[in-house]
Each structure stands twice: as structure tokens, then as C-alpha cells.
Amino acid sequence: MARLAQTAGLTDIQREILSTVRDFVDKEIIPVATELEHRDEYPQAIVDGLKELGLFGLMIPEEYGGLGESLLTYALCVEEIARGWMSVSGIINTHFIVAYMLKQHGTQEQKDYFLPKMAAGEIRGAFSMSEPGLGSDVSAITSKAVRDGDEFILNGQKMWLTNGGTSSLVAVLVRSDEGHPEGTAPHKSMTTFLVEKEPGFGEVRPGLTIPGKIEKMGYKGVDTTELIMDGLRIPADRVLGGVTGRGFYQMMDGVEVGRVNVAARGCGVAQRAFELGVQYAQQRHTFGKPIAQHQAIQFKLAEMATKVEAAHAMMVNAARKKDSGERNDLEAGMAKYLASEYCKEVVEDAFRIHGGYGFSKEYEIERLYREAPMLLIGEGTAEIQKMIIGRRLLEEYRFQG
């Protein structure tokens, strides 16, 4: 076991789960990831393996057929999986955000219906906040739900759905003015709908279209899509929690879990970049000795390892805070910001250590170099994280003049 990014105070069960996942990553993901990524191919065999391991039920309570594990266990598993191939961690992330939102906010009927199927990986989740014109400005959402008897009619266009095609359940955030008078604050007139659909592309249920995959520079294999609602009818019992107007808070709660996940992904990708860099530096010779013996390279390795260690510690802290039932938006924002920035820097240093070979598609570092930028924008950009951190600090350190 490597010296870096160790976590103190884990239970025997946590250590066993992590060891099983690391084994799976080393044997089933790393050997095939680059080839699948270059083909932009959905990793069906890997996903089936994760299902067998019970990973789709990792954080779902035991009473619903899951393993009932903590956010920390989940984050450490994500770190391992992202070390193998970041796209695979994206496949389970949205699933867990939706399962977490159901567990925390769903009605008893919604939990009883969805969570056992989600734990078994039969229903796979995606969630949808963003729209083509708004990016991180969630309060500017324009897609709408209008009440019609026992149903709501949804119209609008959503953007950047990870697993938009492969999922069978999407938690969709839209504006719903029902019971909210004109002039209500935007975040108090939003509702999360649980939208069931067939996996695939095209019209996946009447009024709901998933046009196709968005082509991306990295983060391949996992499908990222739009979602178009045109007269989509959803029964009122598929409002998350059964009450309209709570959607913004429900989504923000889910996104805190997502931010810990993105931090964990940054840690995993950075770890892998460090592993590749330190290995290559000992194999490649210049001026009669391995480049690892040149001080310039040793300085790089020292900086990379320190960043891997620091990002891991912050990610673990953010997960533990959420697990303890405390508010963790400050810690999750800091962890996500630091881990994604450090990940980019560690990957770039590993890329430089590889020299010209880093530019070759034969070498794994080329893939990591294209994947790292996604972490700078996923689950809120670095700039948004800094705004959240700044506001929370001003709350905590309010000047009493």
C-alpha cells in the first residue's frame, strides 16, 4: 500500500471495502480505461462489476437493501475509482446524489419504491439543474411546471446531465409558482420532480427527449446530454418530498455530497498522475542517470506528493463533517476548490516529467491531462466555490463593531 493519502481511524469494514475496490480498479479498470476512453465507449462490463460489488447501494440504508455506509466510505471509494478512470466515478456520482436526496427528503412511498431498486442498480439516477443559458446561476432557471389536476406539465430545456442517456430516473429542478405569489424569491419557487424514463436517446417517454451525447474533450465513456421537456406530464406524487417549493434546498443538499465527490475524484486523478510521474522518472535516463536523480525532478515530485496529501486530508475532513450531521458547505467548497486545482497542477507536472511522451496517446498521462479540467467546472466552478467560501467566512467571522 502506498504511503500517500492514507486515512486514519477507519473501521475494519471500511478497510475491507476499500481494499476490494482498489483490487477491482487495478485489475478491471486501469488495464482497459485508456482504450475505452479513446473510443468514447460506455464501460458496461465495469458497471456490471460495480453492481456485483454492491457499490450502487453503498450509501443507501440497509433497510432498503443497501450497505448503509457513510459519505466518507463513499468518498474514499470514489477516490480509488477515479484513480482508475474518472468517468466511472461520474457514473455512480449522480446515482448517489439522487439516492441521497430521496433518503433525506423523499416521502415514505418514494423511498420504499425507488431506494431498493437503486441499491440493486436496477434504477440508475441522474440529476438536472443546469440549463443552456445559466451555468452556475441556479436561481435563473426558466423551465417550468404548471399544475393540471393530479399532474404537473413540465416544459423547458436542461443541460449537462451526466448519465442523461443511461439513467432511468432523473431528479429535475424546475420553477413552479403553485402556492407562491408573484415576487416570491426565486429559490423558494423551485421544485424537484422525480422523472422516470427509459434508458436511451430520442423520445424516452411522451414529452421527454434526450437528443444524444454531447462530444467532449475528456470525461468520455460516460454520457453527458441535454434534456428537453415539451408537455411532459408528471403525477403529483413524483414531487420529491410531496411538497412544491422545496426543490432548491433539496438540490443544494445533494450538491454538497456531489462536491465531496468531485474533491475525491480530484484526489484520485492526482494520485494516479503522481504514480505515473514517479514511476516514469525512475525509468527514463538523461545525462547518464534516471531523471528522478535530477534535483529539478525531485522538486516536482515533492510538490506533487504534498498536494496529493493536502487535498486528501481536506476531502476526508469535508466528508466526516457531513457524516456528523453538521453543515459542511464551507469544508466541501474548500475541498472541491483545492482538490480540483491541485489535481490540474499535479497532472501537468506528471505530463512535463513524461516530456514528449506525455503528448502521445499511448501513455496514460495524456488521458489524465484531458480529464483534469472537468473538475475545475463540475458541481460549480472554482469561482463559485470561492464565492461560497467567502460568504461563509464572513458569516463565521462577522465583525462586531
Side-chain angles (χ1 to χ4, degrees), residues 14 20 24-26 33-34 57 68 97 127 133-134 169 176 190 192 198 227 243 253 262 293 299 301 366:
Q14 286 174 313
T20 304
F24 181 82
V25 168
D26 286 340
T34 296
I97 290 176
F127 81 110
L134 61 87
L169 171 66
S176 61
M190 291 186 192
T192 304
E198 287 298 314
L227 176 147
V243 182
D253 191 23
V262 171
Q293 288 178 23
F299 281 4
L301 294 172
E366 179 271 343

Side-chain angles (χ1 to χ4, degrees), residues 16-44:
E16 195 179 318
I17 290 170
L18 283 173
S19 163
T20 304
V21 171
R22 178 172 270 262
D23 249 19
F24 181 82
V25 168
D26 286 340
K27 289 175 184 156
E28 308 295 332
I29 298 183
I30 288 176
V32 298
T34 296
E35 186 188 333
L36 288 172
E37 198 270 351
H38 287 164
R39 293 206 301 262
D40 197 4
E41 185 177 317
Y42 187 76
Q44 190 60 56

